[in-house]
Amino acid sequence: MDNPSPMNLGLKGKRAIVMAASRGLGYACARALAAEGCDLVICSRDASRIRAAADTITRETNARVHPVAADVSGEGEARALVAAAVEQFGGLDIVLHNAGGPPAGDTASTTEAQWQKAFEQNMLSFVRIVNAAVPELKRAGGGRILTIASSSIKQPIPNLVLSNALRAGIWGFAKTLSRELGPDRILVNVIAPGRIQTERIEELDHATAVRAGQPLDHVKRASVAGVPLGRIGQPDEFANLIVFLASEAASYITGQAITVDGGAGNAL
Ligand code: NAD
């Protein structure tokens, strides 16, 4: 073995796409990768919001951040994101797939149109960015494909049937992909948040409070009651794992689904 040395993340100058990044987890991950020296293409649907996110990240980190207004569900959008990375930065090393979460609901209340939309937004968007990005990742001699899923891949969550069903499929696809792309040194991992403080969580808590006829602070307290760390997580705590998995330091980790949930999941 070589002598021990400080962990080298090796992210300076790496070229990354971060999807659905104007707020929440995508934004926090983009900011954290930028702070490590990555060049970024980031997207979300609203042009002014994604430009504002890019400007803030550049101001804070000096990173090169190229905003693209794109709906991740669209067919041509994945190709456009990869083309932007090639045009702006000369290639691509890292893809962080992310999308807005599907609506809450149980099986009886969920329409076929909602199934179709959630499939396109959460699962097909992943297939599309993978198909668009893999040739460039191969050209770069390897890379990272990461996707933000949910702790529902290990423990389904009541009243989130769309997330429970589709994210299990995403995990199956990611595992398959990790075996297909390992020989090309493209590492594929799923990161599964439990409860991380974002606007989506605020919206879900409000919906629960209205549905149950309970005060919002009661809903919030109940939601962390089963978390051993006793609190909701912060986006930066989630982003730290993304940075590590995107880095050179994580060079022997692929085909994994890793939960960031403060210990809430109770499965082995
Ligand atoms: P959020 O709603 O706070 O942010 C979502 C981001 O995605 C925003 O920037 C939004 O503009 C963008 N977006 C939404 N739909 C898009 C589309 N079709 N095309 C392009 N951009 C789009 O959500 P979040 O909490 O950051 O969650 C991110 C993902 O992680 C979601 O899929 C969510 O379901 C999942 N998740 C989050 C948590 C959590 O604790 N925050 C837990 C489990 C799963």
Side-chain angles (χ1 to χ4, degrees):
M1 271 168 65
D2 297 336
N3 288 334
S5 54
M7 191 183 289
N8 176 16
L9 295 180
L11 283 167
K12 197 158 179 42
K14 294 285 183 192
R15 302 148 304 182
I17 291 173
V18 181
M19 300 167 79
S22 65
R23 72 176 202 185
L25 301 181
Y27 176 77
C29 294
R31 196 166 163 262
L33 289 168
E36 294 298 332
C38 288
D39 297 325
L40 298 181
V41 172
I42 63 173
C43 86
S44 75
R45 289 160 299 184
D46 186 285
S48 63
R49 284 198 193 145
I50 198 65
R51 194 173 321 112
D55 288 348
T56 307
I57 293 172
T58 298
R59 203 167 48 245
E60 288 179 350
T61 65
N62 277 329
R64 295 196 291 174
V65 187
H66 180 72
V68 176
D71 186 325
V72 299
S73 314
E75 201 187 341
E77 274 75 352
R79 286 194 300 274
L81 291 175
V82 173
V86 173
E87 198 181 297
Q88 296 291 321
F89 309 127
L92 181 64
D93 305 289
I94 298 160
V95 173
L96 175 56
H97 167 261
N98 181 36
D106 63 7
T107 306
S109 66
T110 301
T111 65
E112 198 166 308
Q114 286 175 315
W115 277 99
Q116 187 69 37
K117 183 170 189 311
F119 171 71
E120 286 175 13
Q121 177 165 295
N122 293 98
M123 186 155 183
L124 196 54
S125 63
F126 186 33
V127 178
R128 283 174 169 156
I129 194 68
V130 163
N131 285 337
V134 162
E136 282 306 323
L137 297 176
K138 285 185 179 172
R139 223 185 310 281
R144 302 285 187 272
I145 297 174
L146 303 169
T147 182
I148 299 179
S150 163
S151 58
S152 66
I153 60 172
K154 309 236 171 166
Q155 194 166 304
I157 301 166
N159 206 46
L160 279 179
V161 66
L162 290 172
S163 176
N164 295 341
L166 289 165
R167 301 206 201 265
I170 288 166
W171 177 201
F173 172 54
K175 186 72 177 178
T176 306
L177 203 56
S178 71
R179 302 194 73 86
E180 292 176 358
L181 298 180
D184 296 302
R185 301 200 308 135
I186 300 170
L187 281 51
V188 185
N189 290 294
V190 177
I191 304 86
R195 281 184 68 82
I196 313 290
Q197 184 71 57
T198 66
E199 286 172 60
R200 168 159 170 95
I201 289 296
E202 285 296 319
E203 288 157 10
L204 288 174
D205 283 350
H206 272 280
T208 304
V210 169
R211 203 179 60 251
Q214 290 172 344
L216 186 59
D217 64 331
H218 177 93
V219 169
K220 285 180 183 295
R221 268 200 310 280
S223 75
V224 294
V227 181
L229 295 185
R231 62 176 177 86
I232 191 165
Q234 294 304 313
D236 289 349
E237 296 178 295
F238 179 85
N240 287 339
L241 178 60
I242 298 283
V243 166
F244 174 68
L245 290 173
S247 78
E248 294 297 322
S251 52
Y252 201 55
I253 302 172
T254 191
Q256 304 305 306
I258 304 175
T259 310
V260 182
D261 69 350
N266 199 23
L268 293 178

Coordinates of all heavy atoms in Angstrom, one line a residue, residues 206-255:
H206 N -47.7 20.6 4.4 CA -49.0 21.4 4.4 C -50.1 20.5 3.9 O -51.2 20.5 4.5 CB -48.8 22.6 3.4 CG -48.3 23.8 4.1 ND1 -49.0 24.6 4.8 CD2 -47.0 24.3 4.1 CE1 -48.3 25.6 5.3 NE2 -47.0 25.4 4.9
A207 N -49.9 19.7 2.9 CA -50.9 18.8 2.3 C -51.4 17.8 3.4 O -52.6 17.5 3.6 CB -50.4 18.1 1.1
T208 N -50.4 17.3 4.2 CA -50.7 16.3 5.2 C -51.6 17.0 6.3 O -52.6 16.4 6.8 CB -49.5 15.7 5.8 OG1 -48.7 15.1 4.8 CG2 -49.8 14.7 6.9
A209 N -51.2 18.2 6.7 CA -51.9 18.9 7.7 C -53.3 19.2 7.3 O -54.3 19.0 8.1 CB -51.2 20.2 8.0
V210 N -53.5 19.6 6.1 CA -54.9 19.8 5.6 C -55.7 18.6 5.5 O -56.8 18.5 6.0 CB -54.8 20.5 4.2 CG1 -56.2 20.5 3.5 CG2 -54.2 21.9 4.3
R211 N -55.1 17.5 5.0 CA -55.8 16.2 4.9 C -56.2 15.6 6.2 O -57.3 15.1 6.4 CB -54.9 15.2 4.1 CG -55.7 14.1 3.4 CD -54.8 13.1 2.6 NE -53.9 12.4 3.5 CZ -52.6 12.6 3.5 NH1 -52.1 13.5 2.6 NH2 -51.8 11.9 4.3
A212 N -55.3 15.8 7.2 CA -55.5 15.2 8.5 C -56.2 16.1 9.5 O -56.6 15.8 10.6 CB -54.2 14.7 9.1
G213 N -56.4 17.4 9.0 CA -57.0 18.4 9.9 C -56.2 18.6 11.2 O -56.7 18.9 12.2
Q214 N -54.9 18.6 11.0 CA -54.0 18.8 12.2 C -53.1 20.1 12.0 O -52.9 20.5 10.8 CB -53.0 17.6 12.3 CG -53.7 16.4 12.7 CD -52.8 15.2 12.7 OE1 -51.7 15.2 12.0 NE2 -53.2 14.1 13.3
P215 N -52.7 20.7 13.1 CA -51.8 21.9 12.9 C -50.5 21.5 12.3 O -50.0 20.3 12.5 CB -51.5 22.3 14.4 CG -52.5 21.6 15.2 CD -52.9 20.4 14.5
L216 N -49.9 22.4 11.5 CA -48.7 22.1 10.8 C -47.5 21.7 11.7 O -46.8 20.7 11.4 CB -48.3 23.3 10.0 CG -47.1 23.2 9.0 CD1 -47.3 22.1 8.0 CD2 -46.8 24.5 8.3
D217 N -47.4 22.4 12.9 CA -46.2 22.0 13.7 C -46.4 20.6 14.3 O -45.4 19.9 14.5 CB -46.0 23.0 14.8 CG -47.2 23.1 15.8 OD1 -48.3 22.8 15.3 OD2 -47.0 23.5 17.0
H218 N -47.6 20.1 14.5 CA -47.9 18.7 14.9 C -47.4 17.8 13.8 O -46.7 16.8 14.1 CB -49.4 18.5 15.2 CG -49.7 17.1 15.6 ND1 -49.8 16.7 16.9 CD2 -50.0 16.1 14.8 CE1 -50.1 15.4 16.9 NE2 -50.2 15.0 15.6
V219 N -47.7 18.1 12.6 CA -47.3 17.2 11.4 C -45.8 17.2 11.4 O -45.2 16.1 11.2 CB -47.9 17.7 10.1 CG1 -47.3 17.1 8.9 CG2 -49.4 17.6 10.1
K220 N -45.1 18.3 11.5 CA -43.7 18.4 11.4 C -43.0 17.6 12.5 O -42.1 16.8 12.3 CB -43.2 19.8 11.5 CG -43.4 20.6 10.2 CD -42.9 22.1 10.4 CE -43.2 22.9 9.2 NZ -42.5 22.5 8.0
R221 N -43.5 17.7 13.8 CA -43.0 17.0 14.9 C -43.1 15.5 14.7 O -42.2 14.7 14.9 CB -43.6 17.4 16.2 CG -42.9 18.5 16.9 CD -43.3 18.5 18.4 NE -44.8 18.5 18.6 CZ -45.6 19.6 18.5 NH1 -45.1 20.7 18.2 NH2 -46.9 19.4 18.7
A222 N -44.3 15.1 14.2 CA -44.6 13.6 14.0 C -43.7 13.1 12.9 O -43.2 11.9 13.0 CB -46.1 13.4 13.6
S223 N -43.3 13.9 11.9 CA -42.5 13.4 10.8 C -41.1 13.1 11.2 O -40.4 12.4 10.5 CB -42.6 14.5 9.6 OG -41.7 15.5 10.0
V224 N -40.6 13.7 12.3 CA -39.2 13.4 12.7 C -39.2 12.5 13.9 O -38.1 12.2 14.4 CB -38.4 14.6 12.9 CG1 -38.1 15.3 11.6 CG2 -39.0 15.6 13.9
A225 N -40.4 12.1 14.4 CA -40.5 11.3 15.6 C -39.7 10.0 15.4 O -39.1 9.5 16.4 CB -41.9 11.0 16.0
G226 N -39.7 9.4 14.2 CA -39.0 8.1 14.0 C -37.6 8.3 13.5 O -36.9 7.3 13.1
V227 N -37.0 9.5 13.6 CA -35.7 9.7 13.1 C -34.7 9.6 14.3 O -34.8 10.5 15.2 CB -35.5 11.1 12.4 CG1 -34.1 11.3 11.9 CG2 -36.5 11.2 11.3
P228 N -33.8 8.7 14.3 CA -32.9 8.6 15.5 C -32.1 9.9 15.8 O -31.9 10.2 16.9 CB -31.9 7.4 15.1 CG -32.8 6.6 14.2 CD -33.6 7.5 13.4
L229 N -31.8 10.6 14.7 CA -31.1 11.9 14.9 C -32.0 13.0 15.4 O -31.5 14.1 15.7 CB -30.3 12.3 13.7 CG -29.1 11.3 13.3 CD1 -28.3 11.9 12.2 CD2 -28.2 11.0 14.5
G230 N -33.3 12.7 15.4 CA -34.3 13.6 16.0 C -34.5 14.9 15.3 O -35.1 15.9 15.9
R231 N -34.2 15.0 14.0 CA -34.4 16.2 13.3 C -34.4 15.9 11.8 O -34.0 14.8 11.3 CB -33.3 17.2 13.6 CG -31.9 16.7 13.1 CD -30.8 17.8 13.3 NE -29.5 17.3 13.0 CZ -29.0 17.3 11.7 NH1 -29.7 17.8 10.7 NH2 -27.8 16.8 11.5
I232 N -34.9 16.9 11.0 CA -34.9 16.8 9.6 C -33.5 17.1 9.1 O -32.7 17.8 9.8 CB -36.0 17.8 9.0 CG1 -36.2 17.6 7.5 CG2 -35.6 19.3 9.3 CD1 -37.4 18.2 7.0
G233 N -33.1 16.6 7.9 CA -31.8 16.9 7.4 C -31.7 18.2 6.6 O -32.8 18.7 6.2
Q234 N -30.5 18.7 6.4 CA -30.3 19.9 5.7 C -29.8 19.6 4.3 O -29.0 18.6 4.1 CB -29.4 20.9 6.4 CG -30.0 21.4 7.7 CD -31.3 22.1 7.5 OE1 -31.5 22.9 6.6 NE2 -32.3 21.7 8.3
P235 N -30.2 20.4 3.3 CA -29.7 20.1 1.9 C -28.2 19.9 1.8 O -27.7 19.1 1.0 CB -30.2 21.3 1.1 CG -31.4 21.7 1.8 CD -31.1 21.5 3.3
D236 N -27.4 20.7 2.5 CA -26.0 20.6 2.4 C -25.5 19.2 2.9 O -24.5 18.7 2.4 CB -25.3 21.7 3.3 CG -25.4 23.1 2.6 OD1 -25.9 23.1 1.5 OD2 -25.1 24.0 3.3
E237 N -26.2 18.7 3.9 CA -25.8 17.4 4.4 C -26.0 16.3 3.4 O -25.3 15.3 3.3 CB -26.6 17.0 5.7 CG -26.3 18.0 6.9 CD -27.1 17.7 8.1 OE1 -28.4 17.8 8.0 OE2 -26.6 17.3 9.1
F238 N -27.1 16.5 2.6 CA -27.4 15.6 1.5 C -26.3 15.7 0.4 O -25.8 14.8 -0.1 CB -28.8 15.9 0.9 CG -29.1 15.0 -0.2 CD1 -29.7 13.7 0.0 CD2 -29.0 15.4 -1.5 CE1 -30.0 12.9 -1.1 CE2 -29.3 14.6 -2.6 CZ -29.9 13.4 -2.4
A239 N -26.0 17.0 0.1 CA -25.1 17.3 -1.0 C -23.7 16.8 -0.8 O -23.0 16.4 -1.7 CB -25.0 18.8 -1.3
N240 N -23.3 16.7 0.5 CA -22.0 16.1 0.8 C -21.8 14.7 0.2 O -20.7 14.4 -0.2 CB -21.7 16.1 2.3 CG -21.5 17.5 2.9 OD1 -21.2 18.4 2.2 ND2 -21.8 17.6 4.2
L241 N -22.8 13.9 0.3 CA -22.7 12.6 -0.2 C -22.6 12.6 -1.8 O -21.8 11.8 -2.4 CB -23.9 11.7 0.2 CG -23.8 10.3 -0.3 CD1 -22.6 9.5 0.1 CD2 -25.1 9.5 0.0
I242 N -23.3 13.5 -2.4 CA -23.2 13.6 -3.9 C -21.8 14.0 -4.3 O -21.2 13.4 -5.2 CB -24.2 14.7 -4.4 CG1 -25.7 14.3 -4.0 CG2 -24.0 15.0 -5.8 CD1 -26.3 13.2 -4.9
V243 N -21.2 14.9 -3.5 CA -19.9 15.4 -3.9 C -18.9 14.2 -3.7 O -18.1 13.9 -4.6 CB -19.4 16.5 -2.9 CG1 -17.9 16.8 -3.0 CG2 -20.2 17.8 -3.3
F244 N -19.1 13.4 -2.7 CA -18.1 12.3 -2.5 C -18.3 11.3 -3.6 O -17.3 10.8 -4.2 CB -18.4 11.6 -1.1 CG -17.6 10.4 -0.9 CD1 -16.2 10.4 -0.8 CD2 -18.2 9.1 -0.9 CE1 -15.5 9.3 -0.6 CE2 -17.5 8.0 -0.7 CZ -16.1 8.0 -0.6
L245 N -19.6 10.9 -3.9 CA -19.8 9.9 -4.9 C -19.4 10.3 -6.3 O -19.0 9.5 -7.2 CB -21.3 9.4 -4.9 CG -21.7 8.6 -3.7 CD1 -23.2 8.4 -3.7 CD2 -21.0 7.3 -3.6
A246 N -19.4 11.6 -6.5 CA -19.0 12.2 -7.8 C -17.5 12.2 -7.9 O -16.9 12.4 -9.0 CB -19.6 13.6 -8.0
S247 N -16.8 12.1 -6.8 CA -15.4 12.4 -6.8 C -14.5 11.2 -7.1 O -15.0 10.0 -7.1 CB -15.0 12.9 -5.4 OG -14.9 11.8 -4.5
E248 N -13.2 11.4 -7.3 CA -12.2 10.4 -7.5 C -12.1 9.5 -6.3 O -11.7 8.3 -6.4 CB -10.9 11.0 -7.8 CG -10.8 11.8 -9.1 CD -11.1 10.9 -10.3 OE1 -10.7 9.7 -10.3 OE2 -11.8 11.3 -11.3
A249 N -12.4 10.0 -5.1 CA -12.3 9.3 -3.9 C -13.3 8.1 -3.8 O -13.1 7.1 -3.1 CB -12.5 10.2 -2.7
A250 N -14.4 8.2 -4.6 CA -15.4 7.1 -4.6 C -15.2 6.1 -5.8 O -16.2 5.6 -6.3 CB -16.8 7.7 -4.6
S251 N -13.9 5.9 -6.1 CA -13.6 5.2 -7.4 C -14.0 3.7 -7.3 O -13.9 3.0 -8.4 CB -12.2 5.3 -7.7 OG -11.4 5.0 -6.6
Y252 N -14.4 3.1 -6.2 CA -14.7 1.7 -6.1 C -16.1 1.5 -5.6 O -16.5 0.4 -5.1 CB -13.7 0.9 -5.3 CG -13.6 -0.6 -5.5 CD1 -13.3 -1.0 -6.8 CD2 -13.8 -1.5 -4.5 CE1 -13.3 -2.4 -7.1 CE2 -13.7 -2.8 -4.8 CZ -13.5 -3.3 -6.0 OH -13.4 -4.6 -6.3
I253 N -17.0 2.5 -5.8 CA -18.4 2.4 -5.3 C -19.3 2.5 -6.5 O -19.4 3.6 -7.1 CB -18.7 3.5 -4.3 CG1 -17.7 3.4 -3.1 CG2 -20.1 3.3 -3.8 CD1 -17.8 4.5 -2.1
T254 N -20.0 1.4 -6.9 CA -21.0 1.5 -8.0 C -22.1 0.5 -7.7 O -21.9 -0.5 -7.0 CB -20.3 1.3 -9.4 OG1 -21.3 1.7 -10.4 CG2 -19.8 -0.1 -9.6
G255 N -23.2 0.8 -8.3 CA -24.4 -0.1 -8.2 C -25.0 -0.1 -6.8 O -25.6 -1.1 -6.4

